[in-house]
Amino acid sequence: MELSLDHIRAARDLVSRHLPPTPMWSYPLLDRAAGASVLVKHENSQPVGAFKVRGGLTLLAGMTDAGRRRGTVTWSTGNHAQSLAYASHVFGAGCTVFMPAGTPEFKAAAVDSWGARAIRAGDSLEAAERRARQHADETGARLISPGDTPELLAGVGTVYLEILEAAPDLDAIVVPVGSGTGAAAACLVAATLAPRCAVIGVQSAASPAAHDSWRSGDLVERPNRTTAAGLATGRGFALPQRILRGRLADFHLVTDEEIDTSRRLLATAAHTLAEGAGAAALAAVLTRPDRFAGKRVAVVCTGGNAGPDELATLTRA
Ligand SMILES: *Cc1c(COP(=O)(O)O)cnc(C)c1O
């Protein structure tokens, strides 16, 4: 299935039955720090604290009753898991999530709290993925890839309809990237609604698989060491990379330290609690004054699920 803006518009009809649009605000102190006119899109204010819930709801809304009874299974360290757990709760479906053994307790607890089953399995995301595939084979549950599922991509695209309808004159939208579904959807929306608006991706230099896949035009594997869970992936995903190719205007890498600085600025200048991934877009703007000076830019604060470690570093100068 070739995804288009029509799929994203259809997803909005589904998502808007469950979620109001999120706010988008500007803050003079942020503008001053960035030397640009910055709009923060507050996906941290979603019910599970991240934009991915839009994808989960779109996916579950499109499943048959029989499919929902068989349920879904996936692998994740965090927000994708919570999104699917939340949507499964809304639609009364079963949901099993395999999480790497090292996943912090608060993330597993959040999944459990929506009535889904969080299972710790293996020492890496890849090991958790293998267990999820096995579980799907054994139980008939639908395997949901966080990166290669069209319904998820269409659902998260609804963020960009909201952004560009509220601010049609943007010079750029900066999007944090893990698997790349959000950035790919942003490209599809901007191409029609605001062809002059550049969509720019950001990933952590400590987990550059999506960035390197886009630059090389190939699906590559890379070390996955960022502490920003939403940006953590060890490989490129085919579906979003196919869309990003030729459409994404640019792709920046930032360090985890630059992300921490950006999180602190969001806390003090925008009274916003962001997790690492949620602050990555602003980090790219702050570290590239030459690229963004004087421009009107939307940064997507994709999530606010900061754990104990991320909360602790907020107070460190
Ligand atoms: C998943 C996630 C991202 C990355 O989104 P992709 O669509 O996987 O590229 C960014 N920020 C947060 C908070 C996330 O949970």
Side-chain angles (χ1 to χ4, degrees):
M1 155 176 156
E2 208 48 52
L3 270 164
S4 70
L5 183 60
D6 289 340
H7 295 103
I8 299 172
R9 288 201 164 116
R12 185 182 25 203
D13 291 341
L14 301 172
V15 168
S16 64
R17 285 179 211 159
H18 303 278
L19 304 171
T22 53
M24 184 163 72
W25 300 119
S26 64
Y27 304 89
L29 290 172
L30 265 196
D31 287 359
R32 196 181 300 164
S37 171
V38 178
L39 289 163
V40 181
K41 178 65 170 171
H42 283 291
E43 290 299 299
N44 56 302
S45 71
Q46 292 286 12
V48 300
F51 76 103
K52 284 197 180 73
V53 67
R54 298 168 182 265
L57 286 169
T58 302
L59 179 81
L60 266 292
M63 287 174 72
T64 62
D65 284 341
R68 289 179 194 145
R69 269 195 300 279
R70 280 193 298 278
T72 61
V73 56
T74 193
W75 67 95
S76 170
T77 56
N79 290 338
H80 167 63
Q82 271 202 67
S83 152
L84 213 57
Y86 178 86
S88 298
H89 167 78
V90 168
F91 286 94
C95 174
T96 304
V97 182
F98 287 89
M99 306 181 109
T103 304
E105 178 52 30
F106 78 98
K107 296 198 169 175
V111 169
D112 285 336
S113 75
W114 294 112
R117 202 154 60 107
I119 301 175
R120 312 291 182 95
D123 57 1
S124 67
L125 206 49
E126 289 68 32
E129 175 179 347
R130 281 194 294 277
R131 286 292 304 279
R133 290 184 182 281
Q134 195 184 341
H135 180 93
D137 286 344
E138 289 165 5
T139 65
R142 178 169 165 193
L143 182 74
I144 307 298
S145 162
D148 285 326
T149 305
E151 293 90 336
L152 297 182
L153 201 149
V156 300
T158 60
V159 178
Y160 301 94
L161 290 176
E162 290 176 20
I163 291 176
L164 285 169
E165 284 168 5
D169 56 344
L170 289 172
D171 294 306
I173 303 177
V174 188
V175 185
V177 174
S179 66
T181 62
C187 288
L188 293 177
V189 174
T192 302
L193 264 60
R196 274 191 51 260
C197 174
V199 177
I200 296 170
V202 185
Q203 201 171 27
S204 166
S207 295
H211 170 273
D212 290 4
S213 294
W214 182 75
R215 294 246 174 243
S216 68
D218 218 352
L219 297 179
V220 304
E221 294 183 18
R222 287 292 182 268
N224 182 11
R225 301 200 184 97
T226 180
T227 56
L231 310 180
T233 180
R235 64 176 174 98
F237 285 84
L239 172 69
Q241 287 290 336
R242 196 164 65 234
I243 296 169
L244 291 170
R245 204 164 297 148
R247 290 190 178 89
L248 192 72
D250 208 348
F251 204 146
H252 298 312
L253 291 175
V254 293
T255 66
D256 283 9
E257 292 70 33
E258 288 165 347
I259 288 174
D260 274 348
T261 303
S262 168
R263 282 198 305 119
R264 282 192 285 273
L265 185 63
L266 280 168
T268 54
H271 33 89
T272 294
L273 176 62
E275 62 184 280
L282 180 64
V285 173
L286 294 173
T287 51
R288 282 170 186 76
D290 48 321
R291 172 75 179 77
F292 294 104
K295 297 274 167 60
R296 192 164 152 75
V297 186
V299 297
V300 187
C301 179
T302 44
N305 286 315
D309 294 351
E310 284 181 314
L311 290 172
T313 58
L314 271 182
T315 57
R316 228 172 279 155

